[in-house]
Amino acid sequence: MEIRFANAAAPKAGALALLVHEGRVLTEAGRAMDEATGGALVRAMEASRFEGKRDQQLVIVAPAGVALTRIVLCGAGKAGEADAARYQALGGAVAAAFNAAGDKEGTILIDGVEGEKSDLAEAAAEAAFGARMRSYRFDKYRTTEKPEKKPTLERLTIAATNSAKRVYAAREAVADGVFLTRDLVSEPGNILYPETLADAAKALKKDGVTVEVLDEKAIRKLGMGALIGVAIGSVRPPRVVVMQWNGGRKGEAPIAFVGKGVTFDTGGISIKPAGGMEDMKWDMAGAGVVIGLMRALARREAAVNAVAVVALVENMPSGSAQRPGDVVTSMSGQTIEVLNTDAEGRLILADACWYCQDRFKPQAMINLATLTGAIIVALGDHHAGLFSNDDTLSERLAAAGKSVGEQLWRLPLADYYDKQIDSDIADVKNIAANRGAGSIIGAQFIQRFVNKVPWAHLDIAGVTWSKADTAITPKGATAFGLRLLDRLVADHYEGK
């Protein structure tokens, strides 16, 4: 779908979406269109329950004498209260409506009402961003899809002001990163495994990102025994990918991102139940988000030094697989008693986080992982879990998440929980003796390998995959965390 920008004017063809504020208040463009249609818009509203409330829609077949296919009235809520999320949702909903109706060309006309002050360029850019985000599809393996289920919208014009194109550029870069992440997370495990995911990361070189891939020999040489322990059950060898974007001041410490990349997780010897195991193709979502984020930062030429490390393994049961009760030595030198091979994400993050902080000395480090099912029990599918050793970093992350609609909820870390992973025969064990506070225990384990760097752990297990369409996210991979981290960088680390 091509997105164009134009000044506020009604199109001469295709479908048209108009904003209506609560109380059935038409904008100037809406009043003009109502007059041109002989009052059809007002009559349609009066004959329906449409009030102009947020997220409401009313579709009107264009009457004779108007060179349009249909007119969609979009509830914009109370005048003066529209924000970025509202315009994004509006853009996504309109794009979905145009596709559902079979339109090939459509226009969203954005203008204000008397007494309302709004930045039309920002509003138009957000609507375009929402439309682009909602337009995502992962259909590369479909060969028999019915024509009526395929998207039809080829061109969407946002009619507000031509200057919106410049404002939209940075958002388009973020959308590019989101689409990359969604593609990676959607791929099946037979296609996406450590080597091919590393190859996908290498494609970021075209965007100006420096990419280094560590193979199994290099990983072993570094002493990443925790990561190797997870990988040895699979015929697919592990990889660690290091990505650097140097857009900030020379010599300035980077902000670091670390991603869990278990390309398929059977649970290993502690094997998972068969029901739902197919979802474990997206146990690499943390790595997927980190890779997509680096694309977004590079394509919008972010003025920041950023480094990303993703640990890539496949967790499989076999004759060579790690056993419950095994003891491995991590890169930090700490020994780990592996009591459950299905608690593998924290093992690979132990080595990845230690490597990242030891090599790059970042000013802050954030890891993302689909780490625990317990976080889904605690928070469901609307919030990700936030754990941190630094209040300032935690507050910044929560604020960034709120501003983009990727909500976080902070949970505690404390000595009480930390003592529960003391091992009788090694330095630490990878699970506690009981199932209580499972997400906290996972975070507590990772914290032992961050070496007092300002750090945060985002447990995204509940928010990585959506079972239904939302305003700007189709059913499937969400790329949750990417927009949040991009906003964090823009607000607190870029150009500072």
Side-chain angles (χ1 to χ4, degrees):
M1 179 184 70
E2 178 189 3
I3 294 179
R4 295 180 176 181
F5 295 93
N7 289 324
K12 296 180 179 180
L16 171 65
L18 294 168
L19 275 61
V20 180
H21 292 281
E22 194 167 322
R24 296 174 176 169
V25 179
L26 293 166
T27 65
E28 182 179 344
R31 292 196 302 272
M33 184 56 65
D34 185 58
E35 183 177 347
T37 59
L41 306 192
V42 170
R43 287 196 302 273
M45 288 191 289
E46 291 176 345
S48 72
R49 294 182 177 181
F50 180 86
E51 295 285 344
K53 294 180 180 179
R54 184 172 180 173
D55 299 329
Q56 282 189 315
Q57 271 191 5
L58 179 61
V59 180
I60 304 168
V61 176
V66 178
L68 298 169
T69 56
R70 73 195 80 254
I71 300 169
V72 181
L73 301 184
C74 304
K78 294 181 180 179
E81 294 185 2
D83 56 12
R86 189 172 302 189
Y87 282 115
Q88 288 175 16
L90 185 147
V94 170
F98 286 168
N99 269 318
D103 291 308
K104 291 186 177 182
E105 185 173 352
T107 299
I108 303 176
L109 203 162
I110 298 177
D111 64 338
V113 295
E114 186 176 351
E116 181 190 34
K117 293 183 179 179
S118 60
D119 187 326
L120 290 181
E122 288 285 339
E126 296 292 2
F129 180 71
R132 172 92 191 282
M133 291 283 283
R134 182 61 183 270
S135 71
Y136 175 81
R137 298 183 91 229
F138 188 79
D139 57 4
K140 62 186 290 186
Y141 298 114
R142 293 177 181 171
T143 62
T144 59
E145 188 175 21
K146 294 180 180 179
E148 60 268 25
K149 291 189 175 182
K150 294 181 179 181
T152 58
L153 191 61
E154 298 174 356
R155 181 166 57 252
L156 179 66
T157 300
I158 313 296
T161 171
N162 278 320
S163 62
K165 182 177 181 179
R166 174 184 53 80
V167 179
Y168 174 65
R171 291 166 176 82
E172 185 176 32
V174 173
D176 290 344
V178 167
F179 277 36
L180 172 59
T181 295
R182 290 178 179 173
D183 281 347
L184 295 175
V185 175
S186 299
E187 287 284 3
N190 63 317
I191 302 297
L192 196 78
Y193 43 90
E195 293 164 290
T196 55
L197 184 49
D199 288 341
K202 286 193 288 187
L204 297 184
K205 292 179 180 180
K206 296 178 181 178
D207 297 310
V209 178
T210 301
V211 183
E212 178 184 358
V213 178
L214 307 180
D215 62 12
E216 184 175 1
K217 182 178 179 181
I219 294 168
R220 288 183 179 276
K221 187 174 181 180
L222 286 167
M224 293 186 176
L227 188 154
I228 289 294
V230 177
I232 57 175
S234 173
V235 296
R236 307 287 193 185
R239 294 289 184 267
V240 171
V241 182
V242 181
M243 295 157 279
Q244 297 180 69
W245 167 254
N246 297 312
R249 293 194 297 268
K250 186 176 181 180
E252 184 176 44
I255 181 170
F257 306 99
V258 181
K260 171 190 171 184
V262 180
T263 58
F264 195 84
D265 182 20
T266 66
I269 295 297
S270 307
I271 197 164
K272 296 176 181 290
M277 194 193 289
E278 67 276 4
D279 288 344
M280 289 301 96
K281 70 177 186 177
W282 47 255
D283 206 21
M284 42 61 65
V289 169
V290 168
I291 293 169
L293 174 65
M294 294 301 283
R295 167 160 288 176
L297 295 177
R299 289 197 172 181
R300 71 174 183 82
E301 299 181 341
V304 68
N305 293 334
V307 62
V309 176
V310 292
L312 311 180
V313 301
E314 186 178 58
N315 188 22
M316 298 289 285
S318 72
S320 62
Q322 184 166 247
R323 295 156 291 265
D326 283 0
V327 174
V328 296
T329 302
S330 67
M331 184 182 176
S332 70
Q334 297 176 75
T335 54
I336 303 168
E337 183 185 13
V338 182
L339 295 182
N340 189 323
T341 64
D342 194 25
E344 85 298 329
R346 64 200 68 180
L347 296 174
I348 67 173
L349 287 173
D351 280 339
C353 286
W354 184 269
Y355 173 80
C356 183
Q357 62 81 32
D358 184 58
R359 177 178 172 183
F360 295 104
K361 308 296 187 295
Q363 55 181 304
M365 181 169 66
I366 302 155
N367 74 259
L368 296 93
T370 48
L371 201 76
T372 65
I375 204 67
I376 305 174
V377 176
L379 299 177
D381 58 5
H382 285 85
H383 285 72
L386 164 63
F387 304 83
S388 183
N389 64 2
D390 186 274
D391 290 342
T392 298
L393 178 59
S394 179
E395 290 166 4
R396 288 175 173 178
L397 281 163
K402 186 176 182 180
S403 69
V404 301
E406 295 185 337
Q407 301 278 8
L408 302 176
W409 190 264
R410 191 178 185 184
L411 286 90
L413 295 169
D415 288 342
Y416 168 78
Y417 300 109
D418 193 67
K419 290 176 182 178
Q420 294 184 42
I421 53 174
D422 286 337
S423 169
D424 292 335
I425 66 168
D427 296 323
V428 61
K429 55 188 179 183
N430 74 330
I431 60 169
N434 58 63
R435 299 181 66 184
S439 298
I440 297 173
I441 294 299
Q444 207 74 59
F445 180 93
I446 299 169
Q447 188 182 26
R448 292 200 180 196
F449 301 88
V450 302
N451 207 19
K452 297 183 180 181
V453 172
W455 157 82
H457 158 58
L458 305 185
D459 192 335
I460 59 173
V463 293
T464 284
W465 194 268
S466 177
K467 294 181 180 180
D469 293 340
T470 64
I472 62 173
T473 304
K475 177 182 177 180
T478 65
F480 184 104
L482 192 154
R483 293 186 297 127
L484 181 165
L485 295 176
D486 178 75
R487 178 59 61 88
L488 175 77
V489 169
D491 288 349
H492 299 289
Y493 296 95
E494 193 168 352
K496 300 295 188 290

